[in-house]
Amino acid sequence: MSDAAQPMKSAGMIRRWLSRPARAAPAKPVQFDQPLLPWLFLAPQLAVIFVFFYWPSVQAITSSFYIEDPFGFGATFVGLDNYKDALGSAEYQRIAGFTALFTVLVTGFSLGLGLLFAVKADKVIRGRTAYRTALIAVYAIAPPVAGLMGMMLFDQHIGPFVQLAAWFGYDMKVGINYWDTAFAMILVSVWKQVPYNFIFFLSGLQGIPASVREASVIDCRNGFTRFRTAILPLLAPTAFFLLIINITYALFDTFAVIDVMVKDKPANNPLTLVYKVYNDGFRGNDIGGSAAQSVILMVIVLVLTLIQFRWLERRVHYG
Amino acid sequence: MKKVLPALALLATAAPAFANPVQITWWHGMGGANEQVINQVAEKFNAAQSACAITPVSKGTYEEALASGIAAFRSGGQPNILQVFDAGAATIINAKGATIPAEDLLTQNGYTFDREAFIDGIRYFYADAEGKFIGMPFNSSAPIMYLNTEAFAKAGVEAPKTWAEFEAVAPKLKEAGYIPLTASQLTWMFFENYYSRNNVQMASNVNGYDGFDGTELRATAPEMIAFWNRVKTWHSEELFGFYGAGWADNQKPFEEGKVAMWIGSSGSFGGLSKTATMPFSATLMPYDETVADGNKSTFIGGAALFAMAGKPDDQNKCSADFFSFLTSTEIQAFYHQATGYVAITKAAYEKSKADGWYEKNPVAEVGIQQLMLPQGEWSKGYRLGFYPQIRVIEEREFNKIFSGETTVEDAFKAIETEGNALLARFAKTSG
């Protein structure tokens, strides 16, 4: 208890100090005298948001209603045609389906494994720094490098994973077989993200007071039930934050991994929606179509975030 | 007075020599050894005259160079010269006003332009329907077939000239322990250049040259379907290996000596000389003996240089000087010999012959020989909008054919339907 006693003592001192009779006039709410001053302070931040978010968003929405010459010489107003073309295309639907599956699997596995490793690492006493460093080190690898390493591991001629699969009689063809490539992409993306979740879960676990843990030990003998009913609710704010970050990661930040793994040739490989936006816009120079797709993506993220905050956050308990 | 005038004229011509040279920029999509050669060409130009100074900038890949060029043009910061690859030709040529046609640029700046000086296969690809050069062909290549000479000696067979001959020799090469054939970038080898090599129409409106409205891809041409059904049979009989859509996926097993024949670019020669683990030679890409009027020249691959509009006259003069310098026999022969890209002018080809270059490097001549074959009605080029995206569709369907997810007929139907939808979209871009 000695660890926990120290902060308790200082907290008591602060409370006593706070409860001393006030000598000054009752504190009035802090307010700016000039109405323009707060706007001035906000201006830099607002300018950044305007330049990097609102302005491009408005541009994307405008472009999405036109079919445009890439060089900007001509544009035909086509109403919702770009949206209809995208949503009606079998290829787009296939990519959207894969993106959903990819996001669920990458988020689920990276959160699950991150939590598992954090719980296990939290219990290790001997050599804990070594284990933690080993687990965190992966986070220092840049996504394209992770993609390259994945490519080597799954190379058709020399890849160890391909040889492993061959022992079990499976002919793995990453780059040709759709699901083999999907498996490789998910594996590399999860591997890349686990350390990030690990760091947050570990610090979350260490933020749980020893007193709570000890109390829960007295109340419940089953380790898993204890974890589910006492530890997990206290980790919920961390988990909620990580859920949002991981979904964003799977939707957007895996771009580099995918780009490296498909080697610039989407062919019949699984793709995510953001890669399709890039492919049509930057390689195909179809600005209108690409803009419509990015607006669709923006709406998806908006809806997801709203759902998360409206529905999930209510269940999160912020100690 | 009479004495003063020549003196003034002398001053006028001498003055630019003392002034700072006019700076022009050149954006391209080459890396590695080819980028170094581009830098050497720029240095040679800067050393050869003092009025202009050119700075080459690599923008990554071909596609990235085009995308950067477009973005820069829209914000007014375009380079003087932009390299654009074959599949992007329609995009930049359609944007009239984005470029100054290379031929106009040269004639306006006092150069005479002779279309006949260029090798036949190169003359039309970056030109308009009347044959006027819009882009200046720069690094041109042709798909040729590299041969593993050990494999052919071991199997005791000759290199095939037609696909029927391939079918005859391939089983023997397989028996000798080799994968008979692989090919990189099938969109270029077995799609675009199937049309050119065998003289089959690729798209309506004269392959798109006569305008974008109503242009339709002829992906389901019976010749194409029949050929690809053969390719699929070869694949299932293990006479043709396919290891992925990436260029290197199919080049690597050839370099390692596992493959008897590999269809690559004539521009692959330089790299292959360093990486191949066995002696190799090359020959023309086989043609389809079942097509009546085949065995024609292929489309050129590679890229061309475009002079961007919206630049001051003195800079345009420098771009013209540079274009003229580039097509000079000496520079063309240098570039051809240093990179393996084909010589684009007849004079450069003759010079390389006179230099004895092909006696030392017979492979370096194959691409030119293929481009100098008689031109068919359909082997001059194609002008199809959003073509890079259509290639993506082709790549997807080819992969599906080899993984057994689709039939040849359905795959080419999908390419045609989706490709035509893109072509129709492109027709709307010009507003």
Side-chain angles (χ1 to χ4, degrees):
Chain A
M1 277 310 277
S2 67
D3 276 12
Q6 211 54 38
M8 294 283 275
K9 213 162 149 192
S10 52
M13 273 166 63
I14 293 169
R15 213 175 297 126
R16 246 174 290 133
W17 184 78
L18 280 174
S19 61
R20 273 191 301 184
R23 271 176 252 158
K28 62 170 189 175
V30 180
Q31 260 182 351
F32 291 103
D33 293 333
Q34 289 95 353
L36 283 177
L37 196 61
W39 290 105
L40 194 69
F41 286 135
L42 277 174
Q45 179 68 15
L46 285 178
V48 168
I49 295 178
F50 178 79
V51 169
F52 290 103
F53 182 70
Y54 289 111
W55 189 49
S57 304
V58 169
Q59 289 245 310
I61 293 168
T62 324
S63 303
S64 70
F65 296 114
Y66 289 87
I67 290 184
E68 200 178 336
D69 168 72
F71 285 88
F73 284 107
T76 312
F77 182 80
V78 291
L80 291 172
D81 275 10
N82 284 331
Y83 292 93
K84 283 185 208 150
D85 281 358
L87 294 172
S89 126
E91 181 60 15
Y92 190 81
Q93 290 163 8
R94 187 168 86 136
I95 292 175
F98 178 76
T99 309
L101 179 78
F102 180 80
T103 308
V104 168
L105 289 178
V106 170
T107 308
F109 277 109
S110 20
L111 280 177
L113 290 173
L115 182 60
L116 180 73
F117 292 150
V119 169
K120 295 297 172 200
D122 194 37
K123 287 184 183 148
V124 171
I125 296 166
R126 262 170 63 130
R128 55 162 53 184
T129 331
Y131 285 114
R132 284 177 195 176
T133 311
L135 279 164
I136 293 170
V138 179
Y139 193 61
I141 298 169
V145 180
L148 271 179
M149 291 165 79
M151 262 348 278
M152 269 167 61
L153 294 174
F154 287 101
D155 185 277
Q156 276 181 57
H157 307 283
I158 54 160
F161 276 102
V162 176
Q163 281 159 6
L164 188 74
W167 281 345
F168 293 98
Y170 183 70
D171 189 12
M172 188 178 240
K173 283 184 174 163
V174 172
I176 297 179
N177 185 306
Y178 186 85
W179 291 111
D180 286 354
T181 318
F183 173 75
M185 276 177 185
I186 292 168
L187 191 88
V188 173
S189 303
V190 168
W191 175 65
K192 178 78 194 72
Q193 186 65 1
V194 163
Y196 184 85
N197 296 337
F198 171 78
I199 297 170
F200 276 88
F201 276 130
L202 190 66
S203 69
L205 282 170
Q206 289 174 345
I208 295 173
S211 55
V212 175
R213 287 174 188 242
E214 281 165 12
S216 71
V217 173
I218 296 168
D219 285 343
C220 174
R221 265 163 29 125
N222 183 312
F224 182 70
T225 313
R226 210 159 61 223
F227 174 75
R228 194 168 55 80
T229 54
I231 308 292
L232 206 53
L234 288 171
L235 273 181
T238 311
F240 177 65
F241 161 79
L242 284 177
L243 179 69
I244 296 175
I245 295 290
N246 276 266
I247 289 178
T248 320
Y249 165 79
L251 280 173
F252 298 104
D253 296 351
T254 49
F255 178 86
V257 172
I258 294 171
D259 190 43
V260 172
M261 292 195 74
V262 304
K263 286 177 273 187
D264 219 25
K265 296 274 181 211
N268 189 35
N269 293 315
L271 301 179
T272 58
L273 288 172
V274 69
Y275 196 85
K276 171 103 173 122
V277 169
Y278 159 77
N279 212 35
D280 288 359
F282 290 88
R283 299 175 67 192
N285 303 308
D286 180 0
I287 293 170
S290 177
Q293 290 175 30
S294 64
V295 171
I296 294 171
L297 205 54
M298 208 153 71
V299 171
I300 292 174
V301 173
L302 196 72
V303 169
L304 268 180
T305 315
L306 277 180
I307 291 173
Q308 285 165 344
F309 274 95
R310 286 265 156 149
W311 181 71
L312 257 184
E313 207 199 8
R314 281 190 195 162
R315 294 161 181 243
V316 172
H317 171 66
Y318 287 96
Chain B
M1 194 65 195
K2 267 186 180 169
K3 274 178 188 169
V4 180
L5 261 180
L8 269 176
L10 194 72
L11 260 179
T13 48
F18 301 114
N20 285 329
V22 177
Q23 298 287 338
I24 57 171
T25 47
W26 172 19
W27 288 5
H28 61 83
M30 317 229 73
N34 283 334
E35 185 187 355
Q36 286 166 17
V37 180
I38 279 193
N39 293 340
Q40 284 174 336
V41 169
E43 279 161 24
K44 280 173 190 276
F45 176 69
N46 293 341
Q49 43 75 50
S50 52
C52 309
I54 193 163
T55 313
V57 181
S58 174
K59 287 283 161 184
T61 64
Y62 281 151
E63 281 160 341
E64 286 162 351
L66 178 59
S68 323
I70 289 171
F73 185 83
R74 291 176 72 112
S75 58
Q78 69 271 31
N80 297 86
I81 297 169
L82 179 67
Q83 184 191 32
V84 179
F85 68 130
D86 52 0
T91 306
I92 189 153
I93 292 174
N94 180 46
K96 291 193 178 62
T99 59
I100 308 169
E103 207 173 312
D104 292 348
L105 181 82
L106 282 163
T107 48
Q108 281 161 15
N109 287 289
Y111 291 98
T112 50
F113 189 85
D114 179 17
R115 295 176 190 173
E116 300 289 318
F118 292 84
I119 286 172
D120 289 358
I122 285 164
R123 219 180 290 162
Y124 304 95
F125 199 90
Y126 299 102
D128 65 11
E130 281 77 51
K132 178 160 98 181
F133 278 50
I134 309 294
M136 176 58 82
F138 172 57
N139 54 319
S140 301
S141 52
I144 60 172
M145 190 162 76
Y146 290 89
L147 309 166
N148 177 339
T149 38
E150 279 172 3
F152 278 85
K154 207 168 153 192
V157 290
E158 292 289 313
K161 291 187 187 65
T162 65
W163 289 119
E165 287 179 24
F166 166 78
E167 281 162 349
V169 300
K172 288 175 191 148
L173 288 161
K174 191 186 161 192
E175 260 172 55
Y178 292 91
I179 301 161
L181 175 72
T182 64
S184 288
Q185 206 181 338
L186 295 177
T187 54
W188 190 42
M189 315 303 187
F190 281 5
F191 189 75
E192 291 142 36
N193 279 311
Y194 179 85
Y195 292 108
S196 63
R197 186 89 173 89
N198 301 297
N199 200 18
V200 176
Q201 187 175 359
M202 182 174 174
S204 61
N205 282 344
V206 192
N207 280 0
Y209 271 70
D210 281 359
F212 296 108
D213 274 322
T215 298
E216 290 197 331
L217 200 60
R218 291 182 71 250
T220 53
E223 298 91 343
M224 181 64 81
I225 302 279
F227 172 67
W228 267 86
N229 272 314
R230 284 165 90 180
V231 173
K232 198 181 174 184
T233 313
W234 302 338
H235 183 253
S236 56
E237 289 171 359
E238 293 177 345
L239 303 178
F240 173 71
F242 178 73
Y243 304 98
W247 183 281
D249 295 341
N250 297 300
Q251 180 175 349
K252 222 164 83 189
F254 179 75
E255 287 169 0
E256 289 164 356
K258 294 177 189 158
V259 174
M261 290 172 267
W262 168 66
I263 301 181
S265 165
S266 57
S268 308
F269 166 60
L272 205 56
S273 310
K274 296 192 184 90
T275 51
T277 53
M278 73 294 162
F280 67 91
S281 66
T283 184
L284 307 184
M285 182 164 83
Y287 63 94
D288 189 339
E289 73 293 338
T290 64
V291 182
D293 192 25
N295 195 12
K296 298 287 189 271
S297 141
T298 45
F299 299 140
I300 48 168
L305 303 185
F306 288 83
M308 303 299 286
K311 291 290 181 183
D313 286 345
D314 59 337
Q315 292 185 13
N316 287 340
K317 170 84 171 67
C318 283
S319 300
D321 291 350
F322 182 65
F323 279 1
S324 167
F325 176 80
L326 260 190
T327 43
S328 70
T329 305
E330 190 196 334
I331 292 302
Q332 266 307 310
F334 161 76
Y335 188 72
H336 165 51
Q337 295 178 13
T339 60
Y341 282 106
V342 300
I344 58 172
T345 60
K346 289 170 185 163
Y349 176 44
E350 294 303 327
K351 181 176 186 305
S352 297
K353 255 192 210 168
D355 288 351
W357 179 248
Y358 304 123
E359 279 156 33
K360 275 182 282 171
N361 303 286
V363 173
E365 197 178 6
V366 177
I368 307 173
Q369 286 169 337
Q370 189 165 299
L371 287 173
M372 288 181 82
L373 285 174
Q375 285 254 313
E377 195 183 356
W378 305 115
S379 57
K380 291 177 179 169
Y382 60 89
R383 188 64 35 84
L384 300 173
F386 286 150
Y387 196 71
Q389 275 169 293
I390 299 177
R391 269 189 177 171
V392 171
I393 299 168
E394 292 162 17
E395 278 160 3
R396 186 191 74 214
E397 294 300 321
F398 295 167
N399 265 34
K400 281 188 184 174
I401 290 174
F402 294 122
S403 67
E405 282 172 68
T406 186
T407 63
V408 171
E409 285 76 9
D410 287 347
F412 281 84
K413 218 173 279 167
I415 294 170
E416 191 164 287
T417 316
E418 290 181 43
N420 285 343
L422 281 169
L423 290 172
R425 280 178 65 82
F426 188 78
K428 290 187 199 164
T429 60
S430 30

